[in-house]
């Protein structure tokens, strides 16, 4: 069961990474991450995860979050405008440092 769950994490991390790249492209083009006060780029659809985006700093920052659902409930990963990646929830605990984890509390660097 753990192996199957671990195999579902990389698509969420890939979705967050590609989303952050698209948001950075938006910032380079227009100088902010917003469109009418919301995140300017549509969030990707990832199986077993819901990706959301929150604007900060008046449009100069963002945090994107992938929250697991169904069998992936209890897994949550984030990335922000500075490229800081974090595992904010994991059934086996979260890493002590800011990173994504794909296997327990071991960082994926």
């Amino acid at each position: 069961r753990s192996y199957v769950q671990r195999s579902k994490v990389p698509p969420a991390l890939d979705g967050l990474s590609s989303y952050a790249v698209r948001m950075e492209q938006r910032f380079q083009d227009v100088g902010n991450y917003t469109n009418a006060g919301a995140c300017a780029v549509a969030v990707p659809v990832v199986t077993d995860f819901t990706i959301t985006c929150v604007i900060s700093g008046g449009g100069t920052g963002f945090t994107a979050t992938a929250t697991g659902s169904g069998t992936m409930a209890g897994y949550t990963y984030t990335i922000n405008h500075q490229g800081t990646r974090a595992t904010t929830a994991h059934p086996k605990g979260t890493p002590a440092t800011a990173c994504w984890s794909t296997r327990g509390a071991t960082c994926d660097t």
Side-chain angles (χ1 to χ4, degrees):
R1 180 176 175 205
S2 293
Y3 176 77
V4 172
Q5 282 185 306
R6 282 193 310 269
S7 73
K8 294 179 180 184
V9 172
L13 301 182
D14 291 344
L16 284 176
S17 290
S18 64
Y19 184 74
V21 168
R22 292 192 334 266
M23 286 291 277
E24 287 305 319
Q25 290 168 336
R26 160 69 183 199
F27 190 86
Q28 293 300 315
D29 291 344
V30 299
N32 64 60
Y33 298 108
T34 65
N35 183 11
C39 293
V41 176
V43 294
V45 175
V46 177
T47 303
D48 298 309
F49 283 85
T50 300
I51 297 185
T52 58
C53 177
V54 176
I55 294 294
S56 60
T60 61
F62 75 90
T63 300
T65 303
T67 305
S69 59
T71 61
M72 297 308 291
Y75 291 80
T76 306
Y77 303 94
T78 63
I79 190 167
N80 67 18
H81 62 283
Q82 296 174 323
T84 302
R85 305 178 307 170
T87 301
T88 57
H90 193 283
K92 294 184 179 177
T94 57
T97 59
C99 66
W100 284 335
S101 119
T102 58
R103 201 164 205 193
T106 303
C107 286
D108 173 27
T109 54

